[in-house]
Amino acid sequence: MTVKIDLKRCNGCKNLDAPRCEKLCPGDLMTLNPETGKAYIRSEADCWDCMVCVKACPMLAIETKLPYTLAYFGASLKPKTGKDKITWTLKNSDGTVETFEIETRF
Amino acid sequence: MKKIDADILIIGGGTAGCLAAVEAKEKNPDLKVVILEKGHIDRSGCLAAGMNAINAYINPGETAESFVKYVRNDARGLIREDLVRSMGQELNSVVKRVEDWGLPILKDTEGNYQARGRWNIKINGESLKPILADAARKAGAEIYNRVAVTNLLTQDGRVTGAVGFGLRDGEFYAVSAKATIVATGGASGIYKPNNDGSAHHKIWYSPFNTGAGYAMGIRAGAEMTSFEMRFVALRTKDAIAPTGTLALGFGAKQVNALGEEFMVEKYADVGGNGAPTCYRTYGPTLENKEGRGPCYMDTTHLTSDDSYNLKKSYLNMYPHIVLYWAGNGKDPSVEPVEIAGTEPYITGGHCQAGYWITEDRGTTLPGLYAAGDVAGGAPYKFVSGCWAEGVIAARAAVEYVMTGSNPDVSDAVLAAEEKRVRAPQQRWDESGDGVSPREMEEKLQSVMDEYAGGIKTFYEISEARLKIAGKEIEKLKGQTQFLIARDLHELNLAHEVIDRIDVAHVLIKHLLHRQETRWPGFTTNQDFPERDDEEWLKFINTRLNPETGDVEIVERAYSQVVS
């Protein structure tokens, strides 16, 4: 289980005390690489796939990737978090796309 | 060293802890309520990804008493009925409270909650954890994130606070408290999981719930109950997502590879598809063992609209199963969903492993209360039952504070604990040689899987095998001195494995002592394969004898409260 970080998009949340992924990861797995100033995951195998960091990233730079033993390459699931709703875009391996819009709080 | 004085200390800002904080501040706004949280309170613990249902709710036509009867049957006759009833009496008010904080609960056209089975209602709970965290913050609780608690402080048998270390600042924390509520959650990672390698954390229960709350209580001499009622969850294979969504939310039935509805055909006497939870794991486990697997939840009656709504429902809770289906080209309306039993977890939220408590959630150690997954004797809590217990424990803790004064903490005790806590880092700095937390965790899981009734043995135990497990765990306890940690993250992992070993040690005593099979599917005792109410309708408790260091068994009577 792991997340993949798009280093072109990640800006290390420079304007914040700590990057949002580092702040929130329940497994203490996300942190900054001091050399690049960008986020990385300390241990890919220890990720629970809760997608907290994916939802919290202001740059939409993080994507959950299932290990190949569990799922074939080609699909993706991307959330976009709003104030009181979340919108998910699911790309199936056959190329079809589904979107889901769900209320999260009122 | 960072010293903090609190009126009430809450260890763990999760499901139970947040409600405990709010209740304590509402009952007495002058109290200083401190939460120590290992993660970040906004997204820590079991609820990190969210929830799609409340599974303990008194729907119209039901009562706290009918709830007790249901839970008693589900737990095969043995529960603390006083605890389950008092929890049942609080369920609806705590749910209303969280709804008022902003949780979307699905309603029918007349404005009633949408039921999903007898004790369940549907929610859009993706943001459940941030909603609870906001409430705790607004109530005025003082929250310390990224502090891992390693031990309780005690004085003359009374709990006077707790100690731990900061995962970010590296500080050693000492909190002196007039009352303490432990609410850390249960324990995963004791047994080898379904998946390994790069997917070893693809488990159902939070891999970051590592039994800390149990372990600190065991080490402080608290009495623990029912560790032998392990929870083996029936989950979707590979992705290990909950199956209640399929069964209760979408009417899927269990079938084997021959298409037979084996629960209906073979388990009618215990309720068929509505059989106790342990049987719903036992059924497919036996089908697999006897060559009629794989087993499935049959979802092929779903329409493509249903399939869309099913995915939507999982996105609120276990989003990765939706990605799993997409990656594997699976559509639940076209093919059934394969299921599997998980590795055993130790938890008081689904089963009843935990602190032995009074009805007000006081443990056997004065000054210490327990709520949620660490509290024993009251299964079927799920999310709302943990809220209820947080509220009940907080009320008692507030009362206890009224009579107490802030305890002094001895510097010598703190220095000794700080040395114990930092030992793995010190070992790395000084010698660079030893055992990594991951290596020790894998050894523990391998021993427990093979000799203490893991997946490998279809959850079957025997005295001969358990005794081997016991010996190996003793050896592992002796090896914890060789743990190494290169940084604060690894220091936390080191203490997590120490805690897990302490939990496993006690668990084996419980498993050896219960000479019957009460919960087939969770544990089948090959030496004693039948349920024996005459001899074993009672609780098995354990307590560490501080003088000898031995874990001693205490048997406690079952008492029927609801007829």
Side-chain angles (χ1 to χ4, degrees), chain A residues 1 22-23 25 27-28 45-46 48-49 55 70 92-93 98-100 103-106, chain B residues 40 99 102-103 124 126 134 146 168 198 200-204 308 311 324 326 328 489:
Chain A
M1 310 277 111
E22 177 181 302
K23 180 182 157 192
C25 172
D28 186 35
D46 286 351
W48 190 31
D49 297 326
K55 293 176 200 166
L70 290 202
N92 291 296
S93 50
E98 291 174 271
T99 57
F100 305 83
E103 173 192 29
T104 52
R105 63 203 292 175
F106 64 82
Chain B
H40 187 286
E99 183 183 27
L103 173 69
N124 278 333
E126 188 280 332
D134 282 347
R146 302 288 176 192
R168 294 281 180 272
S198 61
H200 84 125
H201 271 183
K202 189 65 276 147
I203 64 180
W204 162 73
Y308 176 85
K311 290 176 194 172
Y324 169 83
N328 288 295
H489 177 72

mmCIF file of all heavy atoms in Angstrom, chain A residues 1 22-23 25 27-28 45-46 48-49 55 70 92-93 98-100 103-106, chain B residues 40 99 102-103 124 126 134 146 168 198 200-204 308 311 324 326 328 489:
data_model
loop_
_atom_site.group_PDB
_atom_site.id
_atom_site.type_symbol
_atom_site.label_atom_id
_atom_site.label_comp_id
_atom_site.label_asym_id
_atom_site.label_seq_id
_atom_site.Cartn_x
_atom_site.Cartn_y
_atom_site.Cartn_z
ATOM 1 N N MET A 1 0.853 -1.180 0.000
ATOM 2 C CA MET A 1 0.000 0.000 0.000
ATOM 3 C C MET A 1 0.883 1.223 0.000
ATOM 4 O O MET A 1 1.836 1.276 0.760
ATOM 5 C CB MET A 1 -0.817 0.077 1.292
ATOM 6 C CG MET A 1 -1.527 -1.180 1.634
ATOM 7 S SD MET A 1 -3.045 -1.282 0.776
ATOM 8 C CE MET A 1 -2.701 -2.593 -0.338
ATOM 9 N N GLU A 22 1.942 15.629 6.448
ATOM 10 C CA GLU A 22 2.728 15.271 7.625
ATOM 11 C C GLU A 22 1.912 15.504 8.898
ATOM 12 O O GLU A 22 1.937 14.696 9.826
ATOM 13 C CB GLU A 22 4.012 16.102 7.672
ATOM 14 C CG GLU A 22 4.855 15.845 8.908
ATOM 15 C CD GLU A 22 6.127 16.689 8.950
ATOM 16 O OE1 GLU A 22 6.935 16.585 8.015
ATOM 17 O OE2 GLU A 22 6.314 17.443 9.920
ATOM 18 N N LYS A 23 1.175 16.603 8.905
ATOM 19 C CA LYS A 23 0.387 16.946 10.079
ATOM 20 C C LYS A 23 -0.660 15.871 10.368
ATOM 21 O O LYS A 23 -0.884 15.512 11.516
ATOM 22 C CB LYS A 23 -0.309 18.296 9.831
ATOM 23 C CG LYS A 23 -1.169 18.780 10.974
ATOM 24 C CD LYS A 23 -1.855 20.104 10.632
ATOM 25 C CE LYS A 23 -3.090 20.294 11.487
ATOM 26 N NZ LYS A 23 -3.939 21.389 11.035
ATOM 27 N N CYS A 25 -1.254 12.509 8.797
ATOM 28 C CA CYS A 25 -1.148 11.053 8.577
ATOM 29 C C CYS A 25 -1.271 10.293 9.900
ATOM 30 O O CYS A 25 -0.474 10.498 10.812
ATOM 31 C CB CYS A 25 0.182 10.693 7.914
ATOM 32 S SG CYS A 25 0.425 8.893 7.837
ATOM 33 N N GLY A 27 -0.511 7.403 10.638
ATOM 34 C CA GLY A 27 0.600 6.483 10.881
ATOM 35 C C GLY A 27 1.944 7.177 10.996
ATOM 36 O O GLY A 27 2.975 6.509 11.024
ATOM 37 N N ASP A 28 1.944 8.518 11.040
ATOM 38 C CA ASP A 28 3.199 9.266 11.144
ATOM 39 C C ASP A 28 4.141 8.886 10.000
ATOM 40 O O ASP A 28 5.349 8.756 10.188
ATOM 41 C CB ASP A 28 3.867 8.980 12.516
ATOM 42 C CG ASP A 28 5.104 9.833 12.759
ATOM 43 O OD1 ASP A 28 5.115 10.995 12.312
ATOM 44 O OD2 ASP A 28 6.063 9.328 13.371
ATOM 45 N N ALA A 45 5.155 0.389 2.738
ATOM 46 C CA ALA A 45 4.394 -0.789 3.157
ATOM 47 C C ALA A 45 3.506 -0.494 4.371
ATOM 48 O O ALA A 45 2.557 -1.222 4.625
ATOM 49 C CB ALA A 45 5.343 -1.935 3.488
ATOM 50 N N ASP A 46 3.832 0.542 5.126
ATOM 51 C CA ASP A 46 3.090 0.812 6.355
ATOM 52 C C ASP A 46 1.838 1.671 6.140
ATOM 53 O O ASP A 46 1.113 1.957 7.080
ATOM 54 C CB ASP A 46 4.002 1.500 7.388
ATOM 55 C CG ASP A 46 5.001 0.517 7.990
ATOM 56 O OD1 ASP A 46 4.869 -0.697 7.731
ATOM 57 O OD2 ASP A 46 5.915 0.960 8.703
ATOM 58 N N TRP A 48 -1.902 2.677 5.309
ATOM 59 C CA TRP A 48 -3.187 1.978 5.533
ATOM 60 C C TRP A 48 -4.183 2.280 4.401
ATOM 61 O O TRP A 48 -5.313 1.817 4.423
ATOM 62 C CB TRP A 48 -3.750 2.398 6.896
ATOM 63 C CG TRP A 48 -4.926 1.637 7.404
ATOM 64 C CD1 TRP A 48 -5.222 0.327 7.172
ATOM 65 C CD2 TRP A 48 -5.979 2.137 8.249
ATOM 66 N NE1 TRP A 48 -6.382 -0.018 7.837
ATOM 67 C CE2 TRP A 48 -6.870 1.067 8.503
ATOM 68 C CE3 TRP A 48 -6.248 3.386 8.822
ATOM 69 C CZ2 TRP A 48 -8.012 1.211 9.305
ATOM 70 C CZ3 TRP A 48 -7.365 3.528 9.621
ATOM 71 C CH2 TRP A 48 -8.242 2.450 9.854
ATOM 72 N N ASP A 49 -3.835 3.151 3.476
ATOM 73 C CA ASP A 49 -4.735 3.585 2.397
ATOM 74 C C ASP A 49 -5.954 4.328 2.899
ATOM 75 O O ASP A 49 -7.031 4.217 2.312
ATOM 76 C CB ASP A 49 -5.240 2.393 1.564
ATOM 77 C CG ASP A 49 -4.121 1.691 0.865
ATOM 78 O OD1 ASP A 49 -3.174 2.376 0.467
ATOM 79 O OD2 ASP A 49 -4.186 0.460 0.738
ATOM 80 N N LYS A 55 -6.622 13.487 0.516
ATOM 81 C CA LYS A 55 -7.713 14.463 0.619
ATOM 82 C C LYS A 55 -7.222 15.811 1.127
ATOM 83 O O LYS A 55 -7.784 16.851 0.799
ATOM 84 C CB LYS A 55 -8.769 13.943 1.601
ATOM 85 C CG LYS A 55 -9.531 12.709 1.131
ATOM 86 C CD LYS A 55 -10.456 12.286 2.271
ATOM 87 C CE LYS A 55 -10.912 10.859 2.154
ATOM 88 N NZ LYS A 55 -11.514 10.383 3.414
ATOM 89 N N LEU A 70 -2.357 -6.572 -5.253
ATOM 90 C CA LEU A 70 -3.789 -6.405 -5.002
ATOM 91 C C LEU A 70 -4.571 -5.904 -6.203
ATOM 92 O O LEU A 70 -5.746 -6.218 -6.356
ATOM 93 C CB LEU A 70 -4.027 -5.426 -3.839
ATOM 94 C CG LEU A 70 -3.659 -5.875 -2.426
ATOM 95 C CD1 LEU A 70 -4.412 -5.063 -1.401
ATOM 96 C CD2 LEU A 70 -3.918 -7.350 -2.201
ATOM 97 N N ASN A 92 -11.827 3.674 -14.173
ATOM 98 C CA ASN A 92 -11.755 2.214 -14.216
ATOM 99 C C ASN A 92 -10.676 1.766 -15.194
ATOM 100 O O ASN A 92 -10.244 2.543 -16.053
ATOM 101 C CB ASN A 92 -13.112 1.639 -14.638
ATOM 102 C CG ASN A 92 -14.160 1.849 -13.554
ATOM 103 O OD1 ASN A 92 -14.047 1.317 -12.452
ATOM 104 N ND2 ASN A 92 -15.174 2.658 -13.849
ATOM 105 N N SER A 93 -10.269 0.505 -15.067
ATOM 106 C CA SER A 93 -9.167 0.043 -15.923
ATOM 107 C C SER A 93 -9.570 -0.039 -17.394
ATOM 108 O O SER A 93 -8.719 -0.045 -18.270
ATOM 109 C CB SER A 93 -8.640 -1.311 -15.433
ATOM 110 O OG SER A 93 -9.713 -2.200 -15.261
ATOM 111 N N GLU A 98 -16.208 7.358 -13.550
ATOM 112 C CA GLU A 98 -17.404 7.612 -12.733
ATOM 113 C C GLU A 98 -17.074 8.722 -11.754
ATOM 114 O O GLU A 98 -15.957 8.782 -11.231
ATOM 115 C CB GLU A 98 -17.789 6.350 -11.938
ATOM 116 C CG GLU A 98 -18.303 5.201 -12.784
ATOM 117 C CD GLU A 98 -18.525 3.947 -11.935
ATOM 118 O OE1 GLU A 98 -17.579 3.150 -11.784
ATOM 119 O OE2 GLU A 98 -19.646 3.774 -11.418
ATOM 120 N N THR A 99 -18.045 9.593 -11.468
ATOM 121 C CA THR A 99 -17.820 10.603 -10.432
ATOM 122 C C THR A 99 -18.878 10.458 -9.346
ATOM 123 O O THR A 99 -20.014 10.035 -9.600
ATOM 124 C CB THR A 99 -17.871 12.045 -10.990
ATOM 125 O OG1 THR A 99 -19.135 12.228 -11.624
ATOM 126 C CG2 THR A 99 -16.761 12.304 -11.966
ATOM 127 N N PHE A 100 -18.488 10.789 -8.139
ATOM 128 C CA PHE A 100 -19.360 10.669 -6.968
ATOM 129 C C PHE A 100 -19.254 11.967 -6.172
ATOM 130 O O PHE A 100 -18.152 12.385 -5.833
ATOM 131 C CB PHE A 100 -18.900 9.514 -6.067
ATOM 132 C CG PHE A 100 -18.783 8.183 -6.757
ATOM 133 C CD1 PHE A 100 -17.635 7.854 -7.484
ATOM 134 C CD2 PHE A 100 -19.803 7.245 -6.670
ATOM 135 C CE1 PHE A 100 -17.516 6.626 -8.101
ATOM 136 C CE2 PHE A 100 -19.694 6.002 -7.293
ATOM 137 C CZ PHE A 100 -18.549 5.693 -8.013
ATOM 138 N N GLU A 103 -21.993 14.600 0.372
ATOM 139 C CA GLU A 103 -22.020 15.596 1.453
ATOM 140 C C GLU A 103 -21.187 15.067 2.622
ATOM 141 O O GLU A 103 -21.256 13.876 2.956
ATOM 142 C CB GLU A 103 -23.499 15.731 1.854
ATOM 143 C CG GLU A 103 -23.792 16.567 3.034
ATOM 144 C CD GLU A 103 -25.256 16.395 3.507
ATOM 145 O OE1 GLU A 103 -25.856 15.313 3.315
ATOM 146 O OE2 GLU A 103 -25.764 17.353 4.082
ATOM 147 N N THR A 104 -20.381 15.919 3.254
ATOM 148 C CA THR A 104 -19.539 15.440 4.353
ATOM 149 C C THR A 104 -19.906 16.049 5.696
ATOM 150 O O THR A 104 -19.641 15.469 6.737
ATOM 151 C CB THR A 104 -18.055 15.738 4.089
ATOM 152 O OG1 THR A 104 -17.929 17.131 3.769
ATOM 153 C CG2 THR A 104 -17.525 14.894 2.952
ATOM 154 N N ARG A 105 -20.432 17.259 5.708
ATOM 155 C CA ARG A 105 -20.910 17.854 6.963
ATOM 156 C C ARG A 105 -21.859 18.976 6.617
ATOM 157 O O ARG A 105 -21.865 19.481 5.509
ATOM 158 C CB ARG A 105 -19.756 18.311 7.863
ATOM 159 C CG ARG A 105 -18.866 19.413 7.313
ATOM 160 C CD ARG A 105 -17.503 19.393 7.988
ATOM 161 N NE ARG A 105 -17.617 19.770 9.402
ATOM 162 C CZ ARG A 105 -16.580 19.747 10.256
ATOM 163 N NH1 ARG A 105 -15.391 19.364 9.869
ATOM 164 N NH2 ARG A 105 -16.727 20.113 11.498
ATOM 165 N N PHE A 106 -22.704 19.323 7.570
ATOM 166 C CA PHE A 106 -23.620 20.443 7.310
ATOM 167 C C PHE A 106 -23.510 21.488 8.400
ATOM 168 O O PHE A 106 -22.915 21.217 9.446
ATOM 169 C CB PHE A 106 -25.066 19.956 7.156
ATOM 170 C CG PHE A 106 -25.640 19.338 8.384
ATOM 171 C CD1 PHE A 106 -26.158 20.141 9.407
ATOM 172 C CD2 PHE A 106 -25.646 17.961 8.579
ATOM 173 C CE1 PHE A 106 -26.685 19.584 10.553
ATOM 174 C CE2 PHE A 106 -26.172 17.394 9.722
ATOM 175 C CZ PHE A 106 -26.685 18.206 10.722
ATOM 176 N N HIS B 40 -2.766 12.857 14.912
ATOM 177 C CA HIS B 40 -3.360 14.191 14.987
ATOM 178 C C HIS B 40 -4.859 13.995 15.140
ATOM 179 O O HIS B 40 -5.472 13.247 14.376
ATOM 180 C CB HIS B 40 -3.045 15.012 13.735
ATOM 181 C CG HIS B 40 -3.497 16.446 13.870
ATOM 182 N ND1 HIS B 40 -4.827 16.809 13.808
ATOM 183 C CD2 HIS B 40 -2.803 17.581 14.131
ATOM 184 C CE1 HIS B 40 -4.928 18.110 13.998
ATOM 185 N NE2 HIS B 40 -3.722 18.610 14.195
ATOM 186 N N GLU B 99 -24.898 14.472 15.504
ATOM 187 C CA GLU B 99 -25.641 15.029 14.362
ATOM 188 C C GLU B 99 -25.712 16.556 14.484
ATOM 189 O O GLU B 99 -25.504 17.280 13.507
ATOM 190 C CB GLU B 99 -27.061 14.448 14.296
ATOM 191 C CG GLU B 99 -27.824 14.948 13.073
ATOM 192 C CD GLU B 99 -29.270 14.461 12.999
ATOM 193 O OE1 GLU B 99 -29.860 14.175 14.067
ATOM 194 O OE2 GLU B 99 -29.805 14.394 11.883
ATOM 195 N N GLY B 102 -22.874 18.412 13.139
ATOM 196 C CA GLY B 102 -22.698 18.508 11.688
ATOM 197 C C GLY B 102 -22.623 17.203 10.934
ATOM 198 O O GLY B 102 -22.374 17.193 9.731
ATOM 199 N N LEU B 103 -22.819 16.068 11.616
ATOM 200 C CA LEU B 103 -22.753 14.777 10.906
ATOM 201 C C LEU B 103 -24.006 14.563 10.066
ATOM 202 O O LEU B 103 -25.121 14.562 10.594
ATOM 203 C CB LEU B 103 -22.635 13.622 11.919
ATOM 204 C CG LEU B 103 -22.734 12.215 11.310
ATOM 205 C CD1 LEU B 103 -21.513 11.904 10.452
ATOM 206 C CD2 LEU B 103 -22.921 11.149 12.383
ATOM 207 N N ASN B 124 -23.428 9.800 6.139
ATOM 208 C CA ASN B 124 -22.330 10.195 5.255
ATOM 209 C C ASN B 124 -21.202 10.659 6.167
ATOM 210 O O ASN B 124 -21.065 11.836 6.473
ATOM 211 C CB ASN B 124 -22.762 11.327 4.314
ATOM 212 C CG ASN B 124 -23.516 10.797 3.102
ATOM 213 O OD1 ASN B 124 -23.325 9.657 2.686
ATOM 214 N ND2 ASN B 124 -24.389 11.620 2.545
ATOM 215 N N GLU B 126 -17.781 10.628 6.055
ATOM 216 C CA GLU B 126 -16.379 10.825 5.627
ATOM 217 C C GLU B 126 -15.644 11.754 6.588
ATOM 218 O O GLU B 126 -14.471 11.567 6.896
ATOM 219 C CB GLU B 126 -16.344 11.390 4.195
ATOM 220 C CG GLU B 126 -14.941 11.450 3.579
ATOM 221 C CD GLU B 126 -14.103 12.633 4.033
ATOM 222 O OE1 GLU B 126 -14.672 13.697 4.397
ATOM 223 O OE2 GLU B 126 -12.867 12.509 4.047
ATOM 224 N N ASP B 134 -13.339 18.836 16.173
ATOM 225 C CA ASP B 134 -13.786 20.228 16.317
ATOM 226 C C ASP B 134 -14.582 20.410 17.604
ATOM 227 O O ASP B 134 -14.447 21.416 18.303
ATOM 228 C CB ASP B 134 -14.667 20.642 15.124
ATOM 229 C CG ASP B 134 -13.839 20.962 13.888
ATOM 230 O OD1 ASP B 134 -12.605 21.098 14.027
ATOM 231 O OD2 ASP B 134 -14.423 21.050 12.779
ATOM 232 N N ARG B 146 0.483 14.104 18.533
ATOM 233 C CA ARG B 146 1.773 13.428 18.334
ATOM 234 C C ARG B 146 2.517 13.218 19.655
ATOM 235 O O ARG B 146 3.722 13.455 19.741
ATOM 236 C CB ARG B 146 2.662 14.212 17.360
ATOM 237 C CG ARG B 146 2.044 14.438 15.998
ATOM 238 C CD ARG B 146 1.959 13.221 15.149
ATOM 239 N NE ARG B 146 1.253 13.513 13.897
ATOM 240 C CZ ARG B 146 0.837 12.565 13.070
ATOM 241 N NH1 ARG B 146 1.052 11.279 13.336
ATOM 242 N NH2 ARG B 146 0.193 12.887 11.977
ATOM 243 N N ARG B 168 7.154 14.578 17.516
ATOM 244 C CA ARG B 168 7.721 15.681 16.738
ATOM 245 C C ARG B 168 8.819 16.399 17.510
ATOM 246 O O ARG B 168 9.879 16.661 16.975
ATOM 247 C CB ARG B 168 6.619 16.692 16.395
ATOM 248 C CG ARG B 168 5.568 16.166 15.460
ATOM 249 C CD ARG B 168 6.034 16.176 14.010
ATOM 250 N NE ARG B 168 4.988 15.651 13.141
ATOM 251 C CZ ARG B 168 4.842 14.363 12.852
ATOM 252 N NH1 ARG B 168 5.690 13.470 13.338
ATOM 253 N NH2 ARG B 168 3.863 13.955 12.074
ATOM 254 N N SER B 198 4.450 -5.625 0.808
ATOM 255 C CA SER B 198 4.067 -4.229 0.580
ATOM 256 C C SER B 198 2.610 -3.962 0.960
ATOM 257 O O SER B 198 2.177 -2.820 0.984
ATOM 258 C CB SER B 198 4.297 -3.857 -0.881
ATOM 259 O OG SER B 198 3.491 -4.693 -1.699
ATOM 260 N N HIS B 200 1.216 -5.316 3.895
ATOM 261 C CA HIS B 200 1.011 -5.890 5.234
ATOM 262 C C HIS B 200 0.092 -5.042 6.104
ATOM 263 O O HIS B 200 -0.464 -5.540 7.081
ATOM 264 C CB HIS B 200 2.360 -6.174 5.929
ATOM 265 C CG HIS B 200 2.969 -4.998 6.628
ATOM 266 N ND1 HIS B 200 3.316 -5.026 7.957
ATOM 267 C CD2 HIS B 200 3.276 -3.756 6.187
ATOM 268 C CE1 HIS B 200 3.831 -3.853 8.304
ATOM 269 N NE2 HIS B 200 3.819 -3.078 7.257
ATOM 270 N N HIS B 201 -0.059 -3.776 5.757
ATOM 271 C CA HIS B 201 -1.007 -2.953 6.512
ATOM 272 C C HIS B 201 -2.381 -2.896 5.853
ATOM 273 O O HIS B 201 -3.214 -2.077 6.227
ATOM 274 C CB HIS B 201 -0.457 -1.548 6.743
ATOM 275 C CG HIS B 201 0.342 -1.453 8.013
ATOM 276 N ND1 HIS B 201 0.886 -0.281 8.462
ATOM 277 C CD2 HIS B 201 0.672 -2.397 8.935
ATOM 278 C CE1 HIS B 201 1.526 -0.501 9.606
ATOM 279 N NE2 HIS B 201 1.418 -1.774 9.892
ATOM 280 N N LYS B 202 -2.592 -3.738 4.859
ATOM 281 C CA LYS B 202 -3.952 -3.785 4.290
ATOM 282 C C LYS B 202 -4.787 -4.658 5.203
ATOM 283 O O LYS B 202 -5.089 -5.810 4.919
ATOM 284 C CB LYS B 202 -3.909 -4.311 2.853
ATOM 285 C CG LYS B 202 -5.210 -4.191 2.111
ATOM 286 C CD LYS B 202 -5.620 -2.753 1.880
ATOM 287 C CE LYS B 202 -6.341 -2.102 3.041
ATOM 288 N NZ LYS B 202 -6.083 -0.683 3.183
ATOM 289 N N ILE B 203 -5.108 -4.105 6.359
ATOM 290 C CA ILE B 203 -5.885 -4.826 7.371
ATOM 291 C C ILE B 203 -7.129 -4.009 7.683
ATOM 292 O O ILE B 203 -7.219 -2.843 7.295
ATOM 293 C CB ILE B 203 -5.054 -5.088 8.640
ATOM 294 C CG1 ILE B 203 -4.644 -3.793 9.341
ATOM 295 C CG2 ILE B 203 -3.813 -5.898 8.304
ATOM 296 C CD1 ILE B 203 -3.816 -4.005 10.600
ATOM 297 N N TRP B 204 -8.094 -4.650 8.358
ATOM 298 C CA TRP B 204 -9.327 -3.925 8.624
ATOM 299 C C TRP B 204 -9.171 -2.935 9.782
ATOM 300 O O TRP B 204 -9.448 -1.753 9.643
ATOM 301 C CB TRP B 204 -10.478 -4.900 8.937
ATOM 302 C CG TRP B 204 -11.599 -4.208 9.628
ATOM 303 C CD1 TRP B 204 -12.486 -3.330 9.070
ATOM 304 C CD2 TRP B 204 -11.925 -4.261 11.016
ATOM 305 N NE1 TRP B 204 -13.337 -2.833 10.035
ATOM 306 C CE2 TRP B 204 -13.011 -3.398 11.232
ATOM 307 C CE3 TRP B 204 -11.393 -4.969 12.107
ATOM 308 C CZ2 TRP B 204 -13.587 -3.210 12.501
ATOM 309 C CZ3 TRP B 204 -11.963 -4.789 13.353
ATOM 310 C CH2 TRP B 204 -13.047 -3.912 13.533
ATOM 311 N N TYR B 308 -23.331 1.512 -8.296
ATOM 312 C CA TYR B 308 -22.825 2.885 -8.137
ATOM 313 C C TYR B 308 -23.008 3.343 -6.683
ATOM 314 O O TYR B 308 -22.091 3.894 -6.064
ATOM 315 C CB TYR B 308 -23.574 3.812 -9.105
ATOM 316 C CG TYR B 308 -23.207 5.274 -8.983
ATOM 317 C CD1 TYR B 308 -22.098 5.803 -9.652
ATOM 318 C CD2 TYR B 308 -23.965 6.138 -8.184
ATOM 319 C CE1 TYR B 308 -21.759 7.144 -9.533
ATOM 320 C CE2 TYR B 308 -23.628 7.476 -8.062
ATOM 321 C CZ TYR B 308 -22.524 7.976 -8.743
ATOM 322 O OH TYR B 308 -22.197 9.296 -8.611
ATOM 323 N N LYS B 311 -20.564 1.669 -4.282
ATOM 324 C CA LYS B 311 -19.245 2.319 -4.319
ATOM 325 C C LYS B 311 -19.275 3.623 -3.528
ATOM 326 O O LYS B 311 -18.364 3.923 -2.762
ATOM 327 C CB LYS B 311 -18.822 2.594 -5.765
ATOM 328 C CG LYS B 311 -18.493 1.340 -6.552
ATOM 329 C CD LYS B 311 -18.186 1.694 -7.997
ATOM 330 C CE LYS B 311 -18.186 0.453 -8.870
ATOM 331 N NZ LYS B 311 -18.078 0.784 -10.298
ATOM 332 N N TYR B 324 -9.756 -0.824 -5.779
ATOM 333 C CA TYR B 324 -9.448 -2.251 -5.978
ATOM 334 C C TYR B 324 -10.347 -2.842 -7.066
ATOM 335 O O TYR B 324 -9.885 -3.548 -7.967
ATOM 336 C CB TYR B 324 -9.641 -2.982 -4.641
ATOM 337 C CG TYR B 324 -9.630 -4.488 -4.714
ATOM 338 C CD1 TYR B 324 -8.428 -5.200 -4.714
ATOM 339 C CD2 TYR B 324 -10.824 -5.207 -4.776
ATOM 340 C CE1 TYR B 324 -8.416 -6.593 -4.772
ATOM 341 C CE2 TYR B 324 -10.817 -6.594 -4.833
ATOM 342 C CZ TYR B 324 -9.616 -7.283 -4.835
ATOM 343 O OH TYR B 324 -9.619 -8.651 -4.902
ATOM 344 N N ALA B 326 -11.893 -1.174 -9.407
ATOM 345 C CA ALA B 326 -11.570 -0.523 -10.681
ATOM 346 C C ALA B 326 -10.311 -1.130 -11.295
ATOM 347 O O ALA B 326 -10.260 -1.422 -12.492
ATOM 348 C CB ALA B 326 -11.385 0.980 -10.463
ATOM 349 N N ASN B 328 -9.056 -4.064 -10.843
ATOM 350 C CA ASN B 328 -9.193 -5.482 -11.209
ATOM 351 C C ASN B 328 -10.334 -5.717 -12.198
ATOM 352 O O ASN B 328 -10.658 -6.873 -12.499
ATOM 353 C CB ASN B 328 -9.392 -6.321 -9.945
ATOM 354 C CG ASN B 328 -8.111 -6.423 -9.131
ATOM 355 O OD1 ASN B 328 -7.127 -6.994 -9.573
ATOM 356 N ND2 ASN B 328 -8.106 -5.820 -7.956
ATOM 357 N N HIS B 489 10.242 8.324 14.937
ATOM 358 C CA HIS B 489 9.241 7.469 14.297
ATOM 359 C C HIS B 489 9.498 6.007 14.668
ATOM 360 O O HIS B 489 8.586 5.277 15.061
ATOM 361 C CB HIS B 489 9.280 7.662 12.774
ATOM 362 C CG HIS B 489 8.333 6.758 12.041
ATOM 363 N ND1 HIS B 489 6.972 6.933 12.065
ATOM 364 C CD2 HIS B 489 8.564 5.641 11.295
ATOM 365 C CE1 HIS B 489 6.396 5.970 11.351
ATOM 366 N NE2 HIS B 489 7.339 5.180 10.883
#
